[in-house]
Each structure stands twice: as C-alpha cells, then as structure tokens.
Amino acid sequence: MIERLTRRKTETAARGAFDRKLLAPMMLGSILNPVNSSIISVSLVPIGAAFGAPPSQTAWLVSALYLATAIGQPVVGRLIDLFGPRRLFLAGATLTGIAGLIGLLAPNMGALIVSRVVLGFGTCAGYPAAMSLIRSEARRTGQDSPAGILATLAVASQTVAVIGPPLGGVLIGLGGWRSTFAVNIPLAVAGLLLGARRLPKAPREARAAKEIRLDLPGMALFAAMLVSLLLFLMEPRADRWYLPVLMVVAAAGFAVRELRVAEPFIDLRVFGGNAPLLLTYARALLVSVVSYVFLYGYTQWLQDGRGLTASQAGLAQLPMFLTGIAVSTLTGRRTAVRGKLLVGAVGQIAGCSLLLLLQPHSAVGLLITVALVFGVPQGLINLALQNAVYHQADPERMGSSAGLLRTFLYLGAMVASSANGAFFGARADTGGLHGLAWFMLAVTGLFLALTAVDRSLGRIGADASSSGASSSARQPQQRKA
C-alpha cells in the first residue's frame, strides 16, 4: 500500500511539472519577431542615408515585416493547431535564416524590403507554437493557468526589447547596418537545433495530410483582405480608393466562406459568440498603435530632432525596457488583467503628455523620464493581453487565436507606421512629434474607455484566485460554438 501511494505521488508530481526543456525553444521562437522589431528602430536612419531614402520610404522596412506577419500569424497558428508546433517552428527558423542572408547581401532598398517580408513569415511560428505548447502542457499537467510560464515568455520578450536597440547601435558601430540583418543567421541556427532536439512530434504529424482539410480559399481571402487594408494604411490617399473597396469585397467573401465551410480557417461562429476575446483583440490594436508610434517615431525624433547618434538613441530607450522587465517580473504571476490594463492606460496617457514637453534641446533627464514612464505600460499591458487570450480562447484553436492576437498587434503597428509617415515629412522634427503625441492621447483614451466598461475582464483573475491551488478544476473563460 505504501509503495503504491508513493508511486502515485511520484507519477502525479511528474505529470504536474511543466516540461522545462521546452522553455528554450519557446522563448527563442517568441522573441525572433520582437528583436527584429526593436533592432530596426535604430537602423532606419543609417539605411536611409545609405540609399538616399527619406523616412516615408524607410518606413516600408517596418511595414513589410508587419504586413507579412499580420497575414502569416493566424495562418501558421492554424497549421500548428492541425499539425503540431514542431514542423512549423523548424520551417520558420529556416526562413528567418534566409531572410538574414538576403539582408546581409541586399544591393538596394527593394531587396531589403524582400528580406523583411521573408523575415515576417519566418517569425510567424514562434509565438503561436509557444502558446500551443503551453496549452498542451496545461492539459497534460492539469495546470489550466500557468501564469509563471506566460510571465516567462513576456519577460523574455521584454529582455529582447532591451537588447534590441542597444545591440543594434553596437552592431551598426562595429559592422554597419547590415549586421542588424545578419544577426538572424545565428539565431535561426540556434532555433533549428533547439527545435529539432526538444520539440515533441505531435501524434497528428504521423497522419496523412489528406486527413486534414485546409481551408485554402479562406486563407487566401483573409490574406487579400489584410493586404488591401494594410496597403491603404501605409499611404492613405484619395487616389487609392480601390484598396478599401477590395478589402470590403474580400472581407465579404471571407465571411461567406467561413460560415459555410465545414472546417473553416477562422471559425467566425466561435469568435462571434466570444465577445470578451473580440474586445481583447480591439484593445491589442489600440495599445499597439501607441506602443509602435513611440518605438519608431520617438526613436527617429531622438536622432533627427534631438541630434543623437544611433547608439545614443538606442541607449535612450533602455530605461523603458528595463522598467518593463521589472514590472512584468513583479506582476507576472498575477492572473488578473483588468487592473493591469487600467494602470497601463494611465501610464500611456502620462507618457504621451510628457512628449508634448520635448524640444530640440531637452535635457537628458527628461528623455530618461519619458522612457521610464512608458516602461510601466510596456510591462503591464502586453502580459495582460497574453493572459486574456489564453483564458478566453478555445483551447483547440489556441495557435490561431494567439496568431490573431499578433495580427491585431501588427495591424496597430501598421497604423503607427502610417501615422509616423503622416506627421513626419522629410525628417522627424519636434512639430511632428507633438502631433503624434496628440494622436497617441486620443487612441489611449479610447483604450482606457474600452477597458473600463468591459466587466468580463474581472472574472479572469477572480476565477483563478477562487480556484486556489486546485488548477485541475479550473477552466478557461471561453465560449464554444
């Protein structure tokens, strides 16, 4: 009897422990996109100088990455739901390495843009794969709310964001701006090695592909809808009226297709009946507009408007990322998201207000204060959104749901890129920065209002705390069709 009880306890302990060998590939895959988002921020001005391109053209290096990623994230996420994370993770790492090689050898801006498109598709698999692995481990261990693992991913992304701009400045100083593209080659090699050795082969990978029906027409219509929308957002002009029209037509076709097909790419019935998840996506769009306007617009102003070098501009962002890491670490294990979102919104409002005080000769202390204030929402909001999706999404579609979260984040990044191009002309001057600050205040106000009226957020933390340590009884907050 004693031996039997001891054996049961041992088996329960083994079953209840998250497989730590998964952490390294999960973190590496999930940081590939953030590191390329942050490292390019200090490369835009040197690239523009090398090719004689103004900010409105170098902005395409940002837009190309997010256009590809916004389309690819839910597509790859759905493939992960069907085939498991391993195949898609390895394919993404391969594309990331190819993108780094293209950027290293690029002879012109067109080749650099191609590199960023390939990079966008290559980095699509990391985050949905990580979320899918977390969900599968939660199912295996009975821990339906692995807040510690989610916090680890968030802190990893924050840490990479810290490294990105300073690393970009150092690399530019040592080997020029091309080195910021070449860094993806060793990262891709590491991803291939870790993915091949540590990621499990899903049972469904052994099935013949014919057993699973891919909704290729739905994916194509989804891509056409996003491409039309995002191309218009890049340059919103009256003579490009046909792009919104194409977007509406593709959206209508997509809706008809997804409602009729037996195995849809995105089950609109599930999403239509899950208002909390839809509101989370809306908040992700709004908050990313503010975050990316600050990341790229403020960094360009530091160089053009304040006269800092690329290395100095990268270091000026360091306090924001360090604050974000500290905040994520301190609050990461708390499942409740509503308070984090509200405090984060107030922090963004405070940071945007400080931008209105900046002048071409503002003291370094004020620049540091701006970065510190923006670090608070940086550490709170992204983690809160990630936790919200984990609890609100259908577990069987965790990959595509996580991918859609990134799609809305990158859609916000595209809006931010368009805003930067609209407020900055030939150079990023102080007047343009102040205009961006007012724009950011309006967006943040809408984010705050949308969060304040959403009572469903309060149930996430309440459900987690009321269930205590018995996580096996905990169920994600969601609706199924």
Side-chain angles (χ1 to χ4, degrees):
M1 177 68 70
I2 295 177
E3 291 180 358
R4 190 182 309 162
L5 290 175
T6 302
R7 187 168 56 252
R8 282 183 182 178
K9 289 182 179 180
T10 303
E11 292 174 353
T12 301
R15 187 174 65 251
F18 188 93
D19 190 350
R20 296 288 171 174
K21 74 178 183 180
L22 299 177
L23 283 177
M26 283 169 54
M27 289 190 291
L28 178 61
S30 64
I31 67 173
L32 286 176
N33 200 280
V35 72
N36 281 285
S37 298
S38 58
I39 204 171
I40 196 69
S41 64
V42 295
S43 305
L44 296 177
V45 171
I47 291 172
F51 293 111
S56 59
Q57 291 183 18
T58 57
W60 276 91
L61 297 174
V62 180
S63 301
L65 177 73
Y66 293 128
L67 176 60
T69 311
I71 295 169
Q73 282 273 359
V75 173
V76 174
R78 183 57 183 152
L79 294 176
I80 288 171
D81 289 334
L82 296 174
F83 297 104
R86 191 173 188 271
R87 287 183 182 179
L88 279 303
F89 184 95
L90 296 175
T94 301
L95 285 178
T96 299
I98 293 173
L101 186 61
I102 295 173
L104 178 63
L105 304 175
N108 51 45
M109 278 289 294
L112 280 183
I113 293 172
V114 170
S115 171
R116 295 286 285 181
V117 170
V118 175
L119 185 62
F121 285 115
T123 58
C124 279
Y127 181 70
M131 293 293 281
S132 177
L133 286 167
I134 292 173
R135 172 52 68 186
S136 64
E137 281 295 284
R139 186 181 297 114
R140 180 182 68 83
T141 64
Q143 298 178 11
D144 289 333
S145 182
I149 303 300
L150 291 170
T152 299
L153 286 182
V155 171
S157 297
Q158 294 285 347
T159 303
V160 163
V162 171
I163 296 173
L167 175 62
V170 171
L171 290 175
I172 291 170
L174 294 175
W177 57 263
R178 291 184 186 276
S179 59
T180 62
F181 288 80
V183 73
N184 287 293
I185 298 175
L187 289 175
V189 172
L192 287 171
L193 292 175
L194 287 171
R197 292 181 178 182
R198 298 192 176 188
L199 293 184
K201 293 182 179 180
R204 67 182 64 196
E205 287 186 338
R207 301 177 184 175
K210 63 182 181 181
E211 293 184 16
I212 299 176
R213 297 179 180 179
L214 293 179
D215 182 18
L216 295 179
M219 293 179 180
L221 288 168
F222 178 81
M225 176 180 66
L226 278 187
V227 168
S228 302
L229 172 61
L230 297 178
L231 286 178
F232 180 75
L233 290 175
M234 291 179 194
E235 298 181 53
R237 302 194 310 263
D239 60 349
R240 293 162 65 87
W241 58 268
Y242 57 91
L243 289 173
V245 173
L246 288 175
M247 186 270 292
V248 171
V249 172
F254 175 72
V256 171
R257 166 73 186 180
E258 299 307 277
L259 290 174
R260 292 182 177 180
V261 69
E263 299 180 16
F265 161 48
I266 296 177
D267 196 334
L268 296 183
R269 295 180 182 88
V270 170
F271 284 104
N274 194 341
L277 183 60
L278 295 178
L279 288 174
T280 293
Y281 288 150
R283 279 186 291 270
L285 170 64
L286 295 172
V287 76
S288 67
V289 170
V290 176
S291 297
Y292 283 104
V293 165
F294 180 76
L295 178 62
Y296 294 114
Y298 180 64
T299 302
Q300 286 182 271
W301 175 83
L302 286 173
Q303 296 174 77
D304 281 352
R306 182 60 175 74
L308 302 183
T309 65
S311 300
Q312 291 170 337
L315 290 174
Q317 293 276 30
L318 190 58
M320 177 185 72
F321 298 119
L322 291 177
T323 303
I325 290 175
V327 171
S328 293
T329 303
L330 291 172
T331 65
R333 292 185 176 275
R334 299 181 180 180
T335 308
V337 301
R338 191 169 188 267
K340 295 178 184 178
L341 293 175
L342 291 174
V343 174
V346 173
Q348 283 194 333
I349 291 174
C352 295
S353 301
L354 287 175
L355 292 180
L356 296 172
L357 304 178
L358 293 177
Q359 297 298 329
H361 302 289
S362 291
V364 173
L366 181 56
L367 303 182
I368 294 175
T369 301
V370 169
L372 288 172
V373 171
F374 269 101
V376 175
Q378 183 80 11
L380 289 173
I381 295 179
N382 290 334
L383 180 58
L385 293 173
Q386 181 176 272
N387 273 281
V389 168
Y390 180 84
H391 287 85
Q392 294 166 341
D394 181 353
E396 298 303 318
R397 288 180 173 264
M398 182 56 66
S400 54
S401 297
L404 276 174
L405 174 66
R406 288 292 180 96
T407 294
F408 280 91
L409 289 172
Y410 297 139
L411 179 58
M414 299 296 295
V415 175
S417 178
S418 179
N420 286 338
F423 285 96
F424 289 150
R427 58 190 302 270
D429 57 17
T430 302
L433 179 67
H434 290 169
L436 282 172
W438 285 112
F439 171 74
M440 294 161 70
L441 281 169
V443 175
T444 303
L446 182 57
F447 171 81
L448 177 60
L450 195 60
T451 302
V453 301
D454 185 4
R455 296 183 177 180
S456 67
L457 293 172
R459 292 198 295 270
I460 295 177
D463 291 345
S465 60
S466 63
S467 59
S470 180
S471 59
S472 60
R474 195 179 302 143
Q475 296 296 327
Q477 177 192 340
Q478 65 192 2
R479 283 183 173 177
K480 293 186 179 181

